[in-house]
Amino acid sequence: MTQRKRALITGITGQDGSYLSEFLLEQGYEVHGLIRRTSTFNTDRIDHIYVDPHNPQARLFLHYGDLTDGTTLRRILEEVKPVEIYNLGAQSHVRVSFDSPEYTVDSVGMGTLRLLEAIRDYQQRTGIEVRFYQAGSSEMFGKVQEVPQTETTPFYPRSPYACAKVYAHWQTVNYRESYNLFACNGILFNHESPRRGETFVTRKITRAIARIVAGTQKKIYLGNLDSKRDWGYAKDYVRAMWLMLQQEQPDDYVIATGETHAITEFLDLAFTHVNLDWHDYVEFDERYLRPAEVDLLIGDPAKAKKQLGWEPSVTFEELVHLMVDADLQALGLASPNGDGSTSLDNAYIRHNVGSMVD
Ligand code: NAP
Ligand code: G4F
């Protein structure tokens, strides 16, 4: 019997880690994930695919560790012996990175270096090739030098998070060129889903809508509504990560939809989906402003399309609707009826919301 391919994922408990785990399990992989020890459970997004490791059917295994702890990374590599490593772990919130710059740079920048060093050492000693994926970000383009952004657009990072991602990007290139490591940078533009962290703007909006409809929230407080993002669906984006590691040669790829939308457009689509007007609910709060903003992101995914055969499968409107539907459903307010619309009783919404905002 041939041995299953073994993958290691840092950040397995995050949005992308959970979708990538599902995807790799479907492809027949044995999946190992690095999880942080926390005082409360942090495995909500992967609980549904976790099987007790004593069960012979188990193919998902979790290991305590942290990207700030190089010793553990080395030990886990020795134990797991993965052939593919996906480095998704990060303090990934841009606004928070201004409050915690050192920790952000340690986990995002130095964490990547620690992992690359561990892989270099492991590969040199064992002769086993390990393929490495680095979760790069469109935030690296920051104050954009070109529209749309491609693999050759110069970086101009505008936050501690983005600076750390640029560092991680170039270390990945450097290990590829210096040590012949099969290392790829994905430069992924914003990607969202019902599993998106609750403090990122899209999920903050869709979650608030569900609570407004439920009558448990009256207003939503947001910062800068003028910035534009190239938003795609996370499930599509994890497929691109895997495709990069299946190529003959390691390379770097922009993964994006090629469309950009303002936050106000997201608000429009999301609120009108439940027959509400966002102007009645959105308030400004300067706490959500950033010391420096990234105004416009729009990626050109032509290289990924040509070389990986990758294309997004979900439109912006579908994405917004599926996120709103999922948050409504989570509160027992609606169930998807297959055509992207909700089976919400609009009279019920008007009744509940009306009584709240009057
Ligand atoms: P996410 O939901 O915030 O997940 C981040 C993951 O990293 C979580 O599993 C988190 O663990 C883990 N983590 C945080 N600090 C860590 C540390 N010190 N050591 C080990 N693990 C740590 O992020 P995501 O949206 O899935 O994004 C995945 C990766 O892609 C991140 O590197 C992000 O920066 C990058 N990226 C994301 C986007 C996007 O639009 N989503 C776009 C471009 C790039 P806990 O669950 O314990 O917190
Ligand atoms: O949803 P955001 O926090 O995402 P941001 O900053 O674009 O970063 C995300 O995407 C990156 C890829 O480009 C990833 F690398 C990164 O890890 C993360 O996943 O903010 C989007 C926009 C910003 O312009 C922000 O200023 O929304 C604006 N915004 C307005 N009000 C807000 C809010 N953002 C948040 N999080 N919360 C607000 O209340």
Side-chain angles (χ1 to χ4, degrees):
M1 199 177 82
T2 53
Q3 221 190 354
R4 288 186 185 282
K5 270 182 136 181
R6 228 177 262 156
L8 173 67
I9 305 174
T10 73
I12 194 167
T13 55
Q15 171 189 253
D16 291 5
S18 67
Y19 284 123
L20 180 63
S21 302
E22 286 172 2
F23 178 82
L24 293 176
L25 289 170
E26 278 163 23
Q27 302 294 316
Y29 280 69
E30 182 176 303
V31 176
H32 293 254
L34 182 82
I35 60 165
R36 300 196 289 174
R37 195 271 155 186
T38 49
S39 65
T40 52
F41 289 119
N42 60 354
T43 54
D44 282 14
R45 292 184 179 106
I46 49 171
D47 283 344
H48 64 289
I49 48 173
Y50 188 73
V51 175
D52 187 291
H54 298 299
N55 184 326
Q57 304 300 319
R59 282 197 285 126
L60 172 64
F61 303 92
L62 302 176
H63 309 261
Y64 282 118
D66 198 296
L67 283 161
T68 60
D69 177 358
T71 318
T72 324
L73 297 178
R74 285 170 184 268
R75 182 175 47 72
I76 293 173
L77 217 66
E78 294 291 338
E79 280 173 16
V80 173
K81 299 184 174 45
V83 292
E84 291 176 12
I85 298 185
Y86 297 86
N87 184 31
L88 312 184
Q91 189 305 92
S92 73
H93 201 284
V94 175
R95 175 69 191 83
V96 171
S97 79
F98 286 99
D99 299 329
S100 291
E102 279 186 41
Y103 174 68
T104 302
V105 171
D106 196 8
S107 61
V108 174
M110 287 301 293
T112 305
L113 178 64
R114 288 183 191 105
L115 199 49
L116 284 165
E117 257 303 289
I119 296 169
R120 181 186 69 80
D121 179 51
Y122 175 78
Q123 192 164 291
Q124 247 171 23
R125 280 187 298 100
T126 63
I128 299 171
E129 188 191 63
V130 181
R131 297 189 168 203
F132 177 76
Y133 171 82
Q134 167 56 19
S137 165
S138 52
E139 280 290 306
M140 299 189 294
F141 295 122
K143 190 171 178 181
V144 296
Q145 302 296 294
E146 194 176 29
V147 178
Q149 295 86 53
T150 73
E151 290 78 6
T152 56
T153 302
F155 297 139
Y156 194 136
R158 300 206 89 198
S159 63
Y161 166 80
C163 291
K165 284 285 184 190
V166 171
Y167 175 84
H169 174 98
W170 285 114
Q171 284 293 13
T172 302
V173 173
N174 186 241
Y175 272 65
R176 180 167 74 214
E177 293 176 356
S178 305
Y179 305 117
N180 208 19
L181 220 70
F182 194 108
C184 300
N185 285 296
I187 306 176
L188 271 55
F189 283 62
N190 297 52
H191 45 279
E192 319 293 313
S193 75
R195 294 186 200 166
R196 182 57 142 155
E198 291 88 349
T199 60
F200 296 97
V201 77
T202 55
R203 184 76 199 291
K204 185 171 167 181
I205 293 168
T206 60
R207 193 162 169 264
I209 287 174
R211 290 153 78 112
I212 287 168
V213 171
T216 57
Q217 185 170 336
K218 291 186 178 177
K219 297 283 181 189
I220 170 170
Y221 294 88
L222 297 174
N224 173 27
L225 301 185
D226 296 330
S227 54
K228 291 182 157 188
R229 292 289 183 272
D230 180 330
W231 278 298
Y233 181 40
K235 252 186 170 176
D236 282 337
Y237 286 51
V238 301
R239 185 163 37 88
M241 298 173 187
W242 176 77
L243 282 169
M244 287 178 215
L245 297 198
Q246 313 313 310
Q247 303 307 301
E248 277 186 17
Q249 296 299 326
D251 208 341
D252 305 327
Y253 298 90
V254 159
I255 303 296
T257 68
E259 275 182 34
T260 193
H261 299 275
I263 292 162
T264 47
E265 286 177 71
F266 193 100
L267 285 166
D268 266 334
L269 280 173
F271 274 84
T272 52
H273 193 50
V274 292
N275 288 337
L276 297 176
D277 182 344
W278 65 267
H279 298 91
D280 295 333
Y281 302 95
V282 174
E283 301 277 334
F284 171 70
D285 188 332
E286 65 178 7
R287 282 183 306 153
Y288 299 114
L289 295 179
R290 293 150 189 211
E293 181 59 276
V294 171
D295 297 322
L296 165 74
L297 290 174
I298 175 166
D300 176 358
K303 179 176 171 183
K305 185 175 178 186
K306 185 160 177 265
Q307 283 178 224
L308 305 178
W310 180 88
E311 276 185 284
S313 72
V314 170
T315 66
F316 177 61
E317 187 173 9
E318 286 167 345
L319 174 67
V320 177
H321 289 173
L322 77 84
M323 288 180 71
V324 175
D325 287 345
D327 275 319
L328 289 167
Q329 220 187 341
L331 296 187
L333 287 167
S335 56
N337 59 15
D339 64 358
S341 61
T342 70
S343 55
L344 260 180
D345 176 345
N346 290 329
Y348 170 79
I349 299 173
R350 270 186 229 104
H351 171 75
N352 280 277
V353 175
S355 61
M356 228 172 43
V357 292
D358 284 348

Coordinates of all heavy atoms in Angstrom, one line a residue, residues 15 19 192-196 198 202-211 213-214 233 235 266 270 273-274 317-338 340-344:
Q15 N -9.5 30.5 9.6 CA -10.4 30.4 8.5 C -9.8 29.5 7.4 O -10.3 28.5 7.0 CB -10.7 31.8 7.8 CG -11.5 31.7 6.5 CD -11.6 33.0 5.8 OE1 -12.7 33.5 5.8 NE2 -10.5 33.4 5.2
Y19 N -10.4 25.3 6.0 CA -10.8 24.9 4.6 C -9.7 24.1 3.9 O -10.0 23.1 3.2 CB -11.1 26.2 3.8 CG -12.5 26.8 4.1 CD1 -12.5 28.1 4.4 CD2 -13.7 26.1 4.0 CE1 -13.8 28.7 4.7 CE2 -14.9 26.7 4.2 CZ -14.9 28.0 4.6 OH -16.1 28.6 4.9
E192 N -12.9 35.7 2.0 CA -13.8 35.7 3.1 C -14.7 34.5 3.1 O -14.7 33.7 2.1 CB -14.7 37.0 3.0 CG -14.0 38.2 2.6 CD -13.0 38.8 3.6 OE1 -13.4 38.9 4.8 OE2 -11.9 39.1 3.2
S193 N -15.5 34.3 4.1 CA -16.4 33.1 4.2 C -17.2 33.2 5.5 O -16.9 34.1 6.3 CB -15.5 31.9 4.2 OG -15.0 31.7 5.5
P194 N -18.1 32.3 5.7 CA -18.8 32.3 7.0 C -17.8 32.0 8.1 O -18.2 32.2 9.3 CB -19.8 31.2 6.8 CG -20.1 31.1 5.3 CD -18.7 31.4 4.7
R195 N -16.7 31.5 7.8 CA -15.7 31.2 8.9 C -14.7 32.3 9.1 O -13.7 32.2 9.9 CB -14.9 29.9 8.6 CG -15.8 28.7 8.6 CD -14.9 27.4 8.4 NE -15.8 26.4 7.9 CZ -15.3 25.2 7.4 NH1 -14.0 25.0 7.3 NH2 -16.1 24.3 6.9
R196 N -14.9 33.4 8.4 CA -14.0 34.6 8.6 C -14.0 35.1 10.1 O -15.1 35.1 10.7 CB -14.5 35.7 7.7 CG -13.7 37.0 7.6 CD -12.2 36.7 7.3 NE -11.7 37.7 6.4 CZ -10.4 38.0 6.4 NH1 -9.5 37.3 7.1 NH2 -9.9 39.0 5.6
E198 N -14.5 37.2 13.3 CA -15.6 38.1 13.5 C -15.2 39.6 13.5 O -16.0 40.5 13.5 CB -16.3 37.8 14.8 CG -17.1 36.5 14.8 CD -16.2 35.3 15.2 OE1 -15.0 35.4 15.3 OE2 -16.8 34.2 15.4
T202 N -15.9 42.4 6.7 CA -17.0 41.7 6.1 C -17.8 40.9 7.1 O -19.1 41.0 7.1 CB -16.5 40.7 5.0 OG1 -15.5 39.8 5.6 CG2 -15.8 41.4 3.9
R203 N -17.2 40.1 7.9 CA -17.9 39.2 8.8 C -18.5 40.1 9.9 O -19.6 39.8 10.4 CB -16.9 38.2 9.4 CG -17.5 37.2 10.3 CD -18.3 36.2 9.6 NE -19.3 35.5 10.4 CZ -19.0 34.6 11.4 NH1 -17.7 34.3 11.6 NH2 -19.9 34.1 12.2
K204 N -17.8 41.2 10.3 CA -18.4 42.1 11.3 C -19.8 42.6 10.8 O -20.7 42.6 11.6 CB -17.4 43.2 11.6 CG -17.8 44.1 12.7 CD -16.7 45.1 13.0 CE -17.2 46.3 13.9 NZ -16.1 47.2 14.2
I205 N -19.8 42.9 9.5 CA -21.1 43.4 8.9 C -22.1 42.3 8.9 O -23.3 42.5 9.3 CB -20.8 44.0 7.5 CG1 -19.9 45.2 7.6 CG2 -22.1 44.2 6.8 CD1 -19.4 45.7 6.3
T206 N -21.7 41.1 8.4 CA -22.8 40.1 8.2 C -23.3 39.5 9.5 O -24.5 39.3 9.7 CB -22.3 38.9 7.3 OG1 -21.1 38.3 7.9 CG2 -21.9 39.4 5.9
R207 N -22.4 39.5 10.5 CA -22.8 39.0 11.8 C -23.7 40.1 12.5 O -24.7 39.7 13.1 CB -21.5 38.8 12.6 CG -21.7 38.1 13.9 CD -20.4 37.5 14.4 NE -20.5 37.0 15.8 CZ -20.2 37.7 16.8 NH1 -19.8 39.0 16.7 NH2 -20.3 37.2 18.0
A208 N -23.4 41.3 12.3 CA -24.2 42.4 12.8 C -25.6 42.4 12.2 O -26.6 42.5 12.9 CB -23.6 43.7 12.6
I209 N -25.7 42.1 10.9 CA -27.0 42.1 10.2 C -27.9 41.0 10.9 O -29.0 41.2 11.2 CB -26.8 41.8 8.7 CG1 -26.3 43.1 8.1 CG2 -28.1 41.4 8.1 CD1 -25.9 43.0 6.6
A210 N -27.3 39.8 11.1 CA -28.1 38.7 11.7 C -28.6 39.1 13.1 O -29.7 38.9 13.4 CB -27.2 37.5 11.8
R211 N -27.7 39.8 13.8 CA -28.1 40.2 15.2 C -29.1 41.3 15.1 O -30.0 41.4 16.0 CB -26.9 40.6 16.0 CG -26.0 39.3 16.3 CD -24.6 39.7 16.5 NE -24.3 40.2 17.8 CZ -23.7 39.7 18.8 NH1 -23.1 38.5 18.6 NH2 -23.5 40.3 19.9
V213 N -31.3 41.7 12.8 CA -32.6 41.0 12.4 C -33.2 40.3 13.6 O -34.4 40.3 13.9 CB -32.3 40.0 11.2 CG1 -33.5 39.1 11.0 CG2 -32.0 40.8 10.0
A214 N -32.3 39.7 14.4 CA -32.7 39.0 15.6 C -33.2 39.9 16.7 O -33.8 39.4 17.7 CB -31.6 38.1 16.1
Y233 N -13.7 34.3 -2.3 CA -14.2 33.2 -1.4 C -13.1 32.3 -0.9 O -12.4 31.7 -1.7 CB -15.3 32.5 -2.1 CG -16.0 31.4 -1.3 CD1 -16.3 31.6 0.0 CD2 -16.3 30.2 -1.9 CE1 -17.0 30.6 0.7 CE2 -17.0 29.2 -1.2 CZ -17.3 29.4 0.1 OH -18.0 28.5 0.8
K235 N -12.7 29.4 0.2 CA -12.6 28.0 -0.3 C -11.9 27.9 -1.6 O -11.1 27.0 -1.9 CB -14.0 27.4 -0.4 CG -14.4 26.4 0.6 CD -15.7 25.8 0.2 CE -16.0 24.6 1.2 NZ -17.3 24.0 1.0
F266 N -20.2 46.6 -0.2 CA -20.5 45.4 0.6 C -21.7 45.6 1.5 O -22.6 44.8 1.6 CB -19.3 45.0 1.4 CG -19.3 43.6 2.0 CD1 -18.7 42.6 1.5 CD2 -20.1 43.4 3.2 CE1 -18.7 41.3 2.0 CE2 -20.2 42.1 3.7 CZ -19.5 41.1 3.2
A270 N -25.2 43.6 1.3 CA -25.5 42.8 2.5 C -26.9 43.2 3.2 O -27.7 42.4 3.5 CB -24.4 42.9 3.5
H273 N -30.0 42.6 1.1 CA -30.4 41.2 1.0 C -31.4 40.8 2.1 O -32.2 39.9 1.9 CB -29.1 40.3 1.3 CG -29.3 38.9 1.0 ND1 -29.8 38.4 -0.2 CD2 -28.9 37.8 1.7 CE1 -29.8 37.1 -0.1 NE2 -29.3 36.7 1.0
V274 N -31.5 41.6 3.2 CA -32.5 41.4 4.2 C -33.5 42.6 4.2 O -34.1 42.9 5.2 CB -31.9 41.1 5.6 CG1 -31.2 39.8 5.6 CG2 -31.0 42.3 6.0
E317 N -21.2 39.3 -5.4 CA -22.6 39.2 -4.8 C -22.9 37.9 -4.2 O -23.5 37.9 -3.1 CB -23.6 39.5 -6.0 CG -25.0 39.7 -5.5 CD -26.0 40.1 -6.6 OE1 -25.6 40.1 -7.8 OE2 -27.1 40.5 -6.3
E318 N -22.5 36.8 -4.8 CA -22.8 35.5 -4.2 C -22.1 35.4 -2.8 O -22.6 34.8 -1.9 CB -22.3 34.4 -5.1 CG -23.1 34.2 -6.3 CD -22.5 33.3 -7.4 OE1 -21.3 33.1 -7.3 OE2 -23.2 32.8 -8.3
L319 N -20.8 35.9 -2.8 CA -20.1 35.9 -1.5 C -20.8 36.6 -0.4 O -20.9 36.1 0.7 CB -18.7 36.5 -1.8 CG -17.8 36.6 -0.5 CD1 -17.4 35.3 0.0 CD2 -16.5 37.4 -0.9
V320 N -21.2 37.8 -0.7 CA -21.9 38.6 0.3 C -23.2 37.9 0.8 O -23.4 37.7 2.0 CB -22.3 40.0 -0.2 CG1 -23.1 40.8 0.8 CG2 -21.0 40.8 -0.7
H321 N -23.9 37.4 -0.2 CA -25.2 36.7 0.2 C -24.9 35.4 1.0 O -25.6 35.2 2.0 CB -26.0 36.4 -1.1 CG -26.6 37.6 -1.7 ND1 -27.2 37.6 -2.9 CD2 -26.6 38.9 -1.2 CE1 -27.6 38.9 -3.2 NE2 -27.2 39.7 -2.2
L322 N -23.9 34.7 0.6 CA -23.7 33.4 1.3 C -23.2 33.7 2.8 O -23.6 33.0 3.7 CB -22.8 32.4 0.6 CG -21.3 32.6 0.5 CD1 -20.6 32.0 1.7 CD2 -20.7 31.9 -0.7
M323 N -22.5 34.8 3.0 CA -22.1 35.1 4.3 C -23.3 35.6 5.2 O -23.4 35.3 6.3 CB -21.0 36.2 4.3 CG -19.6 35.6 3.8 SD -18.3 36.9 3.7 CE -18.0 37.1 5.4
V324 N -24.1 36.4 4.6 CA -25.3 36.9 5.3 C -26.2 35.7 5.7 O -26.6 35.6 6.8 CB -26.1 38.0 4.5 CG1 -27.4 38.3 5.3 CG2 -25.3 39.2 4.3
D325 N -26.4 34.9 4.7 CA -27.3 33.7 4.9 C -26.7 32.8 6.1 O -27.5 32.4 6.9 CB -27.4 32.9 3.6 CG -28.3 33.5 2.6 OD1 -29.0 34.5 3.0 OD2 -28.2 33.1 1.4
A326 N -25.4 32.6 6.0 CA -24.8 31.8 7.1 C -25.0 32.4 8.5 O -25.3 31.6 9.4 CB -23.3 31.5 6.8
D327 N -24.8 33.7 8.6 CA -25.0 34.3 9.9 C -26.4 34.3 10.4 O -26.7 34.1 11.5 CB -24.3 35.7 9.9 CG -22.8 35.6 10.2 OD1 -22.4 34.8 11.1 OD2 -22.1 36.3 9.5
L328 N -27.3 34.5 9.4 CA -28.7 34.4 9.8 C -29.1 33.0 10.2 O -29.7 32.8 11.3 CB -29.6 34.7 8.5 CG -29.6 36.2 8.1 CD1 -30.3 36.3 6.7 CD2 -30.4 37.1 9.1
Q329 N -28.6 32.0 9.5 CA -28.8 30.6 9.8 C -28.3 30.2 11.2 O -28.9 29.5 11.9 CB -28.2 29.8 8.7 CG -29.1 28.6 8.3 CD -28.3 27.7 7.4 OE1 -27.3 28.1 6.8 NE2 -28.8 26.5 7.3
A330 N -27.1 30.8 11.5 CA -26.5 30.5 12.8 C -27.4 30.9 13.9 O -27.3 30.3 15.0 CB -25.1 31.1 12.8
L331 N -28.2 31.9 13.7 CA -29.1 32.4 14.7 C -30.5 31.8 14.6 O -31.5 32.2 15.2 CB -29.2 33.9 14.7 CG -27.9 34.7 15.1 CD1 -28.2 36.2 15.2 CD2 -27.3 34.2 16.3
G332 N -30.6 30.8 13.7 CA -31.9 30.1 13.5 C -32.9 31.0 12.8 O -34.1 30.8 12.9
L333 N -32.4 32.0 12.0 CA -33.3 32.9 11.4 C -33.7 32.6 9.9 O -34.6 33.1 9.4 CB -32.8 34.4 11.4 CG -32.8 35.0 12.8 CD1 -32.0 36.2 12.9 CD2 -34.2 35.3 13.2
A334 N -32.9 31.8 9.3 CA -33.1 31.5 7.9 C -32.4 30.2 7.5 O -31.4 29.9 8.2 CB -32.7 32.6 7.0
S335 N -32.8 29.6 6.5 CA -32.0 28.5 6.0 C -31.9 28.7 4.5 O -32.8 29.2 3.8 CB -32.7 27.2 6.2 OG -34.0 27.2 5.7
P336 N -30.7 28.4 3.9 CA -30.5 28.7 2.5 C -31.4 27.8 1.7 O -31.7 26.7 2.1 CB -29.0 28.2 2.3 CG -28.4 28.0 3.6 CD -29.5 27.8 4.6
N337 N -32.0 28.4 0.7 CA -33.0 27.6 -0.1 C -32.4 27.3 -1.5 O -33.2 27.0 -2.4 CB -34.3 28.3 -0.2 CG -34.1 29.7 -0.8 OD1 -33.1 30.0 -1.4 ND2 -35.1 30.6 -0.7
G338 N -31.1 27.3 -1.6 CA -30.5 26.8 -2.8 C -30.2 27.8 -3.9 O -29.4 27.6 -4.8
G340 N -29.4 31.0 -3.3 CA -28.6 32.1 -2.8 C -29.4 33.1 -2.0 O -28.9 33.9 -1.3
S341 N -30.8 33.1 -2.2 CA -31.6 34.0 -1.4 C -32.0 33.3 -0.1 O -31.7 32.1 0.1 CB -32.9 34.3 -2.2 OG -33.6 33.1 -2.4
T342 N -32.5 34.1 0.8 CA -32.9 33.5 2.1 C -34.4 33.2 2.1 O -35.2 33.8 1.4 CB -32.6 34.4 3.3 OG1 -33.5 35.5 3.2 CG2 -31.2 34.9 3.2
S343 N -34.8 32.3 3.0 CA -36.2 32.0 3.2 C -36.7 32.9 4.3 O -37.7 32.5 5.0 CB -36.4 30.5 3.4 OG -35.6 30.2 4.5
L344 N -36.1 34.0 4.6 CA -36.5 34.8 5.7 C -37.9 35.4 5.4 O -38.2 35.8 4.3 CB -35.5 36.0 5.8 CG -34.5 35.9 6.9 CD1 -33.7 37.2 6.9 CD2 -35.2 35.8 8.3

